[in-house]
């Protein structure tokens, strides 16, 4: 294999890795990997755009014991001197979005993603579509 071929393979791998989803998925209830939930409930905690948009993405069942919660935050500032190089040389995260599913107090599934800007409707849709694919 030529040096140019090896270089091309590494270049393609590098470019594709930059497009990957950096979401962290946790199955706290491992049975959800094989047995999907039959229903899920959601009650918006505010009249914020993302909370209202999430209400439109799925036919939620108010009586279902599996509760979905949405949290997000932006304009996060890290004052640690250990992160200076990361902040200067990259798109250092300044926001996040999280979806969690609980039954009672038991956490069963979570989706978490760092963001470089304020959470958008597109971020919410990506998160919820992943949740749907994983557990619904």
């Amino acid at each position: 294999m030529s040096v140019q071929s090896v270089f091309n393979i590494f270049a393609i791998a590098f470019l594709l890795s930059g497009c990957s989803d950096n979401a962290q998925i946790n199955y706290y209830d491992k049975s959800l990997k094989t047995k999907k939930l039959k229903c899920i409930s959601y009650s918006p905690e505010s009249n914020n755009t993302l909370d209202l948009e999430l209400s439109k993405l799925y036919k939620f069942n108010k009586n279902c014991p599996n509760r979905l919660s949405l949290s997000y935050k932006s304009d996060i500032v890290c004052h640690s001197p250990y992160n200076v190089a990361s902040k200067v040389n990259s798109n250092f995260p300044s926001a996040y979005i999280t979806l969690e599913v609980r039954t009672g107090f038991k956490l069963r599934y979570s989706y978490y993603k760092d963001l470089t800007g304020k959470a958008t409707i597109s971020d919410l849709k990506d998160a919820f579509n992943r949740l749907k694919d994983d557990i619904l």
Side-chain angles (χ1 to χ4, degrees), residues 2-18:
S2 73
V3 174
Q4 183 64 36
S5 297
V6 171
F7 176 78
N8 288 341
I9 290 170
F10 281 117
I12 291 170
F14 177 75
L15 291 173
L16 292 177
S17 69

Side-chain angles (χ1 to χ4, degrees), residues 76-94 114:
I76 299 170
V77 178
C78 179
H79 298 290
S80 171
Y82 298 105
N83 294 323
V84 171
S86 297
K87 288 190 238 182
V88 171
N89 297 324
S90 68
N91 285 333
F92 198 76
S94 63
D114 284 325

Side-chain angles (χ1 to χ4, degrees), residues 22-34:
N22 67 345
Q24 297 174 11
I25 308 300
N26 285 309
Y27 286 87
Y28 296 95
D29 179 350
K30 303 294 184 213
S31 71
L32 289 177
K33 289 183 178 183
T34 55

Side-chain angles (χ1 to χ4, degrees), residues 21-88:
D21 184 5
N22 67 345
Q24 297 174 11
I25 308 300
N26 285 309
Y27 286 87
Y28 296 95
D29 179 350
K30 303 294 184 213
S31 71
L32 289 177
K33 289 183 178 183
T34 55
K35 185 179 178 190
K36 306 292 185 180
L37 295 175
K38 295 185 189 311
C39 65
I40 195 167
S41 64
Y42 177 69
S43 298
E45 295 181 16
S46 72
N47 286 331
N48 190 304
T49 305
L50 293 181
D51 294 290
L52 296 175
E53 184 66 28
L54 181 55
S55 299
K56 299 174 190 174
L57 295 179
Y58 188 76
K59 186 171 171 71
F60 294 102
N61 178 346
K62 285 192 239 180
N63 299 319
C64 183
N66 305 306
R67 290 178 297 109
L68 175 64
S69 64
L70 165 66
S71 63
Y72 48 91
K73 186 169 180 157
S74 59
D75 300 324
I76 299 170
V77 178
C78 179
H79 298 290
S80 171
Y82 298 105
N83 294 323
V84 171
S86 297
K87 288 190 238 182
V88 171

